């Protein structure tokens, strides 16, 4: 979860024009382009904050040039921002109460960690990117759609990641990123060609041997359920160290069915 708190103090040295621009950007973040894991917070004392041109509430609702912004847009935006029952003045206070990635939103920030101070959509995006890939086995499953837009993870993979733990997680992410990149750049539809993947990406993909697939006990180990409930054989796999990634390509979509130790084969069991 990414938590963004409107810091009262950051508006004290701001004029109406700066506040208007800042809140226009905030409205896009809160209403227009809100991310699923973004949480926006405020304390109601923000309305009494003294700015360069008067109390914050007076500036917002009577001194901005864009009257539609003041009268229609911003009331809806502030309603969509959660009010909390205590004011936050430092990151130490913030981090004690809220888990995840915490940042202040506002205009002027002095003598605090600037990397955690958001002033517009650009700094918001940069903050998310800087922290998004700090993945743990627990957060991997929550973020999978955000991190890997072109991969679909079958239900069984959630337990695979928990079982593997953090030891190989960075190695797993590197391979998944490479596979995701290949799909985005080279495969939209048609037959999936693992040889083409191997030539264009830093991946080692192969099918199983005929001897392995002809034996039911080995084939059954590679049967996984898709998110829609169908069962398919995930024969294609990525080899990397002690791990194997079994996947199933279909109609321009690639399903990850298994990430874990080497499954049994005719030669390995």
């Amino acid at each position: 979860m990414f938590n963004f708190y409107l810091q009262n103090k950051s508006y004290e040295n701001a004029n109406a024009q700066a506040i208007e621009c800042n809140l226009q950007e905030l409205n896009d973040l809160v209403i227009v382009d809100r991310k699923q894991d973004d949480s926006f917070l405020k304390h109601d004392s923000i309305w009494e904050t003294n700015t360069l041109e008067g109390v914050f509430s007076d500036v917002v609702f009577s001194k901005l040039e864009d009257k539609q912004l003041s009268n229609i847009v911003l009331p809806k935006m502030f309603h969509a921002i959660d009010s909390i029952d205590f004011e936050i003045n430092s990151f130490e206070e913030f981090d004690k109460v809220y888990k995840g990635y915490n940042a202040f939103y506002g205009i002027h920030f002095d003598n605090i960690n600037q990397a955690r101070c958001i002033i517009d959509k650009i700094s918001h995006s940069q903050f998310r990117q800087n922290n998004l890939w700090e993945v743990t086995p627990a957060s991997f499953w929550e973020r999978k759609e955000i991190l890997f837009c072109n991969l679909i993870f079958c239900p069984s993979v959630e337990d695979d990641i928990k079982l593997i733990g953090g030891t190989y997680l960075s190695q797993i992410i590197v391979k998944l990123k490479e596979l995701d990149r290949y799909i985005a750049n080279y495969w939209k539809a048609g037959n999936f060609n693992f040889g083409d993947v191997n030539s264009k990406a830093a991946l080692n993909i192969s099918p199983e041997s005929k001897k392995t697939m002809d034996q039911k006990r080995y084939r059954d180990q590679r049967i996984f359920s898709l998110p829609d409930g169908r069962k398919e054989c995930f024969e294609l796999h990525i080899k990397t160290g002690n791990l194997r990634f079994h996947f199933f390509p279909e109609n321009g979509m690639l399903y990850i069915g298994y990430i874990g130790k080497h499954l049994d084969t005719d030669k390995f069991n």
Side-chain angles (χ1 to χ4, degrees):
M1 180 65 73
F2 290 84
N3 302 303
F4 301 95
Y5 175 78
L6 274 65
Q7 194 201 42
N8 301 10
K9 186 177 176 61
S10 74
Y11 291 95
E12 290 179 352
N13 294 317
N15 59 29
Q17 183 179 11
I19 292 173
E20 182 168 350
C21 292
N22 180 262
L23 296 183
Q24 285 175 330
E25 296 269 313
L26 181 59
N27 181 69
D28 284 346
L29 295 174
V30 175
I31 303 296
V32 182
D33 302 314
R34 188 166 188 157
K35 302 295 188 291
Q36 180 179 324
D37 54 351
D38 274 357
S39 173
F40 294 91
L41 312 166
K42 69 179 185 302
H43 183 254
D44 286 339
S45 60
I46 192 170
W47 301 116
E48 304 304 320
T49 300
N50 289 311
T51 75
L52 290 181
E53 297 192 32
V55 175
F56 184 81
S57 59
D58 291 339
V59 173
V60 170
F61 298 117
S62 64
K63 296 186 178 181
L64 303 187
E65 288 189 10
D66 188 336
K67 298 309 176 186
Q68 182 178 11
L69 181 71
S70 290
N71 299 328
I72 299 175
V73 175
L74 293 183
K76 292 180 180 178
M77 182 200 76
F78 279 110
H79 183 72
I81 297 175
D82 294 332
S83 291
I84 60 177
D85 57 8
F86 56 93
E87 185 178 348
I88 300 175
N89 294 301
S90 69
F91 288 124
E92 183 179 11
E93 294 174 6
F94 205 165
D95 297 340
K96 281 182 180 179
V97 180
Y98 288 90
K99 303 301 180 184
Y101 302 100
N102 301 324
F104 287 146
Y105 186 90
I107 298 179
H108 299 296
F109 298 96
D110 297 319
N111 303 319
I112 59 176
N113 185 350
Q114 296 297 309
R116 297 177 65 180
C117 296
I118 310 304
I119 61 173
D120 53 22
K121 290 187 289 186
I122 293 175
S123 53
H124 170 268
S125 177
Q126 188 63 56
F127 179 77
R128 283 184 57 89
Q129 286 301 314
N130 289 344
N131 292 286
L132 200 59
W133 290 99
E134 289 186 11
V135 181
T136 66
S139 63
F140 176 93
W141 195 251
E142 298 172 1
R143 300 185 194 173
K144 61 186 184 303
E145 288 89 356
I146 300 172
L147 299 176
F148 310 105
C149 301
N150 301 286
L151 304 178
I152 301 172
F153 293 83
C154 298
S156 54
V157 178
E158 181 176 10
D159 289 334
D160 293 341
I161 296 296
K162 290 178 181 177
L163 183 63
I164 293 170
T167 305
Y168 296 103
L169 193 57
S170 60
Q171 180 180 339
I172 291 170
I173 288 172
V174 167
K175 295 302 180 183
L176 291 175
K177 285 175 71 173
E178 189 70 7
L179 185 59
D180 188 69
R181 184 192 65 81
Y182 172 84
I183 295 171
N185 293 333
Y186 301 109
W187 187 56
K188 302 298 182 183
N191 294 328
F192 183 85
N193 187 326
F194 71 87
D196 187 62
V197 184
N198 291 340
S199 68
K200 294 177 179 175
L203 294 169
N204 181 9
I205 298 175
S206 68
E208 301 289 6
S209 70
K210 186 176 184 302
K211 274 191 174 182
T212 293
M213 296 307 294
D214 283 346
Q215 298 184 57
K216 184 178 184 302
R217 59 173 174 155
Y218 298 145
R219 181 181 176 84
D220 285 351
Q221 287 185 25
R222 292 152 178 82
I223 302 295
F224 300 101
S225 296
L226 276 64
D228 63 8
R230 289 181 295 136
K231 292 184 181 293
E232 296 288 350
C233 181
F234 288 61
E235 179 185 356
L236 287 172
H237 58 282
I238 300 170
K239 304 173 184 177
T240 175
N242 295 323
L243 296 178
R244 296 294 183 269
F245 300 61
H246 283 260
F247 62 89
F248 177 74
E250 180 185 61
N251 299 327
M253 295 185 288
L254 195 145
Y255 298 90
I256 308 294
Y258 172 82
I259 300 176
K261 67 179 184 179
H262 196 309
L263 296 176
D264 294 337
T265 69
D266 181 60
K267 295 181 179 180
F268 180 91
N269 55 63

